[in-house]
Amino acid sequence: MSAPNPQRVKDYLLALQNNICSSIEGLEEEGGFKEDLWDRGGDTGGGRTRLIENGKVFEQAGVNFSHVRGDALPGSATQNRPKLAGRNFEAMGVSLVIHPRNPYVPTSHANVRFFIAEKDGEAPIWWFGGGFDLTPYYGFEDDAKHWHRQAKKACEPFGDNVYNDYKKWCDEYFFLKHRNEPRGIGGLFFDDLNEGGFERCFKLMKSVGDHYISAYQPIVERRKSLPYTDKERDFQLYRRGRYVEFNLVYDRGTLFGLQTGGRTESILMSLPPQVSWRYNWHPEAGTAESELYDVFLQPKDWLA
């Protein structure tokens, strides 16, 4: 069984960031990504943040690569993994959140990552994680089916149950417990992946990363020019509030980054540029807004 190779993972992640940014720029009609290279100092790593702000298609699109190192993990990381205590670590990944301007284009999120913790005289502890999920404001069955077809396609080479397991994990993870509602229509989520050895796990992570654009790009192309009014825009801003709530309360990546002294600007680029909250608001029955809650924000088998 092959040993873990962080450099190969890093090379892939940098290439993935390039490929995703190129595809997103191809969809954007005004401007492109600005790049921000950052360094944490010493030998603690850094990253490459790319951002589109105030575009015609994408109100904000952030695609971040980070590679950080440290001598010790925060208590939150070792509480359930006591074997990690006293080890130095490396964590690297590509994380992105795309907030379109048109309310008929869903927000999307993807992340693929690798973690390794080492200690002299002991075998390294390592794993992969990642996934992608979709957060529509107005539901389209064709979009939901396409998204999940691509998710399943990413998983098919690795076992008959992988898609179903990772879809279920995604539905459970991207759930706002205090609201008792899902964040969106799901997709894939996995973590702590090391079963089957480094090569298998690396290939699975790459497959998930490589299928993100094929899942998202056709949806953007179909919906980005649909006409909308202030009503749809207002609902989009209201629903974005759920995105903020999840990322600040539950998201593991956000919490890990902040607790390990990560770069705050890059960590919080996932938050939408505009958002609104309303007190105890509920959509009117029979509307497209209520359909989002009644149909699309209900975990289901979109490929049945």
Side-chain angles (χ1 to χ4, degrees):
M1 190 173 293
S2 62
N5 189 326
Q7 186 59 50
R8 284 179 59 201
V9 180
K10 182 175 181 178
D11 291 344
Y12 165 75
L13 292 172
L14 287 167
L16 177 66
Q17 185 191 35
N18 287 339
N19 293 338
I20 290 174
C21 288
S22 178
S23 297
I24 294 297
E25 283 186 332
L27 295 166
E28 177 53 63
E29 299 172 6
E30 291 183 4
F33 284 95
K34 60 182 180 181
E35 182 173 279
D36 185 14
L37 301 175
W38 50 276
D39 193 312
R40 302 205 309 168
D43 191 34
T44 59
R48 187 171 73 180
T49 295
R50 291 178 177 167
L51 191 68
I52 290 175
E53 291 183 292
N54 201 31
K56 183 177 180 180
V57 176
F58 301 111
E59 193 169 358
Q60 183 167 293
V63 185
N64 187 52
F65 165 80
S66 63
H67 178 199
V68 299
R69 293 179 287 268
D71 294 329
L73 286 158
S76 62
T78 60
Q79 182 177 6
N80 296 321
R81 299 185 180 99
K83 289 184 179 180
L84 294 177
R87 290 174 175 255
N88 58 52
F89 73 93
E90 287 185 70
M92 63 184 76
V94 167
S95 181
L96 64 94
V97 178
I98 311 296
H99 292 293
R101 185 174 298 278
N102 191 314
Y104 291 113
V105 183
T107 285
S108 71
H109 159 259
N111 172 264
V112 285
R113 57 192 179 272
F114 175 69
F115 178 92
I116 184 168
E118 298 181 279
K119 187 176 182 178
D120 289 342
E122 298 186 22
I125 298 173
W126 59 269
W127 65 80
F128 290 93
F132 51 69
D133 64 285
L134 197 69
T135 306
Y137 306 98
Y138 290 89
F140 294 92
E141 188 172 326
D142 289 349
D143 294 350
K145 289 182 176 179
H146 169 77
W147 182 260
H148 280 276
R149 277 197 296 267
Q150 291 300 309
K152 185 176 182 180
K153 187 176 178 182
C155 298
E156 280 178 338
F158 305 97
D160 294 338
N161 296 323
V162 173
Y163 164 72
N164 289 332
D165 291 345
Y166 289 178
K167 176 189 180 300
K168 182 176 183 292
W169 202 344
C170 187
D171 289 339
E172 293 173 350
Y173 178 72
F174 291 105
F175 189 85
L176 288 87
K177 300 178 183 66
H178 62 284
R179 298 279 189 182
N180 194 33
E181 67 181 47
R183 188 171 82 172
I185 66 164
L188 302 172
F189 179 85
F190 66 96
D191 205 0
D192 303 317
L193 175 68
N194 58 18
E195 182 181 357
F198 175 80
E199 289 299 332
R200 175 189 180 274
C201 297
F202 186 23
K203 288 178 181 177
L204 195 159
M205 186 269 276
K206 288 193 293 184
S207 185
V208 171
D210 292 342
H211 277 83
Y212 164 74
I213 282 296
S214 62
Y216 191 50
Q217 183 172 345
I219 296 173
V220 177
E221 290 173 337
R222 281 199 292 263
R223 311 300 174 195
K224 67 178 183 177
S225 297
L226 292 179
Y228 63 90
T229 68
D230 288 345
K231 177 186 176 183
E232 288 81 29
R233 174 66 170 169
D234 288 345
F235 184 62
Q236 177 194 43
L237 297 185
Y238 171 74
R239 286 297 308 173
R240 280 180 176 177
R242 301 295 204 267
Y243 212 90
V244 173
E245 291 175 22
F246 182 87
N247 278 30
L248 294 182
V249 176
Y250 300 112
D251 187 73
R252 294 181 186 178
T254 300
L255 298 176
F256 178 84
L258 295 175
Q259 291 171 355
T260 55
R263 187 170 185 264
T264 302
E265 290 299 313
S266 297
I267 295 167
L268 297 183
M269 74 175 187
S270 63
L271 302 182
Q274 294 188 52
V275 63
S276 67
W277 277 268
R278 304 177 199 170
Y279 178 76
N280 200 27
W281 182 84
H282 300 281
E284 184 180 346
T287 62
E289 291 78 18
S290 68
E291 184 184 34
L292 178 74
Y293 291 84
D294 298 338
V295 177
F296 289 87
L297 295 185
Q298 302 297 326
K300 61 188 295 184
D301 182 359
W302 289 102
L303 303 182

